[in-house]
Amino acid sequence: MKAVRGALIGSAFLLATATSGFAQDMTSWIPYGFYVRGDVGGAFGQKVTYTDTNPGSALCGVCSGSIPASTGNSVLFGGGIGYRFNPMFRTDLTIDYIPSLHASGTAVGGGPLVAGETDQVDISSLVGMANGYLDLNGFMPHTFGGFQPYVDFGVGLAHNELGTATGKLSPALGALPFSQTGADRTNFAWGAGAGIGYALTPNLTLDIAYKYLDLGATRTGTSITALGATGAVTAAKSNDLTAHTVTLGLRWAFGAPPASPPPVAAPPAPPPAVAAPAQQMFIVFFEFDKSALTADGKKVVDAAAAAFKSGKSGVAIAGYTDLAGTQQYNLALSKRRAETVKAALVKDGVPAAAIDEAWHGKENPRVPTANGVREPQNRRVEITM
């Protein structure tokens, strides 16, 4: 377990000192689609409460009591496959294996034949879950850079294997050594937690996560052996098993990040002897969810201002977005883009009174796509004169 804790501490140091060139707004480049993941970590602070109710036991008549117990820590190994739908939501199917929980405790209650009985047993769990994740970057763009904080919840099944329980019966019976057979049990399981990822590259993410797991019940068998004799018990010991887990993992996304739009070259100014065309259009492209001019966009604005000064009139600008996000958000984003271009034109000498400004959000895409699809050619402002 020291090695597990060391790995977790080391990963925290890595997150604090990483210098990846991808520390930017995650929503602008993270790939959508399928991903795979692998995890290693530890299970800590498990609490097991045995309920020992054996009326009519062959060895002690009526035996009933409870054994509050806690377990030692265990390593954890896991992996899975998932799918990211958008910047806010992803889901995956995971399998985790917790191989070596060691539960022990001393019975209380149940009269002199049970009080003071000691038990110890090994438990292993194989847990399969369907998990859903909410990534906070999707709600708060431009906030976390390359970090990806999230919360998650999962449901599934846990197959708990209880080894042979050993211990000593109540001191009233002379602290008689005994063993009781174990049993396998598959239960409904659930878990909830939170974590943070860091993008090492657009496709590779390092995760540190905490998750609380409720793994359901385990049961012993219905026979007990003491002094070489085996007798039946009419009710088996049962327990509820929970765990706090901390894991370090890697996620590899198979999709490709969105490509940057190609720059649009400014058209040459028309020669003096040739009449200007009746209408001329310039297109300024923007990065995903951004309204600031890129270097290429500034060149296009400068060319449009030069064209206006050469004899153009009636400047109209219209802002647009791609089809990712809501229409309300995109209307505001396209307005900011149009205002950015207008301000740049005015700075270049175009009178503000000569500019007719409009914005349309997701309407009239330059490249038709399905709703929710990010398309660089649709993130634009058109300048017409």
Side-chain angles (χ1 to χ4, degrees):
M1 294 310 301
K2 290 182 178 179
V4 172
R5 292 192 181 99
L8 296 175
I9 294 172
S11 64
F13 176 78
L14 175 61
L15 289 179
T17 61
T19 58
S20 167
F22 299 97
Q24 52 176 291
D25 173 19
M26 179 271 291
T27 60
S28 66
W29 50 262
I30 188 167
Y32 293 177
F34 286 100
Y35 64 86
V36 293
R37 57 177 290 179
D39 304 282
V40 63
F44 309 99
Q46 297 83 5
K47 294 298 181 181
V48 182
T49 302
Y50 288 93
T51 301
D52 186 355
T53 304
N54 295 322
S57 168
L59 292 178
C60 64
V62 177
C63 303
S64 63
S66 63
I67 305 178
S70 61
T71 72
N73 302 324
S74 172
V75 294
L76 178 151
F77 306 97
I81 184 170
Y83 191 89
R84 175 176 290 281
F85 295 91
N86 53 52
M88 292 183 290
F89 182 70
R90 59 186 170 91
T91 183
D92 59 31
L93 299 174
T94 57
I95 295 179
D96 296 309
Y97 181 52
I98 306 174
S100 55
L101 307 179
H102 307 285
S104 60
T106 301
V108 295
L113 295 180
V114 172
E117 174 189 327
T118 59
D119 275 19
Q120 58 186 15
V121 64
D122 289 337
I123 306 171
S124 64
S125 294
L126 184 65
V127 186
M129 279 195 173
N131 308 281
Y133 302 82
L134 285 178
D135 284 292
L136 301 185
N137 300 70
F139 295 97
M140 294 177 284
H142 321 299
T143 302
F144 302 103
F147 290 92
Q148 305 170 20
Y150 59 84
V151 295
D152 68 283
F153 182 81
V155 295
L157 297 174
H159 182 70
N160 300 319
E161 297 185 3
L162 192 69
T164 299
T166 60
K168 295 182 179 181
L169 296 174
S170 169
L173 298 177
L176 180 65
F178 76 95
S179 63
Q180 188 168 356
T181 56
D184 298 350
R185 186 176 177 88
T186 300
N187 313 287
F188 171 78
W190 63 271
I196 187 168
Y198 186 81
L200 302 176
T201 73
N203 293 84
L204 184 63
T205 301
L206 176 70
D207 283 316
I208 293 181
Y210 162 81
K211 196 163 192 173
Y212 172 83
L213 294 176
D214 187 323
L215 304 177
T218 67
R219 290 183 185 275
T220 60
T222 55
S223 65
I224 187 170
T225 300
L227 294 177
T230 299
V233 290
T234 57
K237 292 184 179 73
S238 65
N239 68 71
D240 293 323
L241 178 61
T242 63
H244 302 276
T245 66
V246 177
T247 56
L248 171 68
L250 290 172
R251 276 186 281 136
W252 176 263
F254 292 102
S260 298
V264 177
V274 179
Q279 188 178 74
Q280 191 171 1
M281 177 182 290
F282 301 82
I283 302 178
V284 182
F285 290 105
F286 290 81
E287 295 178 352
F288 180 80
D289 200 24
K290 301 292 179 61
S291 58
L293 285 177
T294 65
D296 291 322
K298 180 63 168 60
K299 293 178 181 178
V300 176
V301 171
D302 292 343
F308 175 84
K309 294 175 182 178
S310 70
K312 296 291 185 182
S313 62
V315 182
I317 61 176
Y320 300 90
T321 67
D322 59 24
L323 275 66
T326 65
Q327 174 66 355
Q328 182 180 2
Y329 180 87
N330 285 355
L331 277 173
L333 177 59
S334 63
K335 180 181 179 182
R336 293 196 300 272
R337 289 173 175 169
E339 290 172 345
T340 296
V341 172
K342 180 179 180 180
L345 287 170
V346 171
K347 186 175 181 181
D348 280 351
V350 178
I355 301 173
D356 182 17
E357 179 186 359
W359 50 90
H360 305 282
K362 300 162 64 170
E363 298 176 359
N364 303 318
R366 191 165 186 250
V367 178
T369 67
N371 191 40
V373 173
R374 298 184 294 182
E375 170 51 53
Q377 294 290 325
N378 291 335
R379 303 193 288 266
R380 70 199 192 279
V381 168
E382 296 179 353
I383 307 172
T384 306
M385 60 183 70

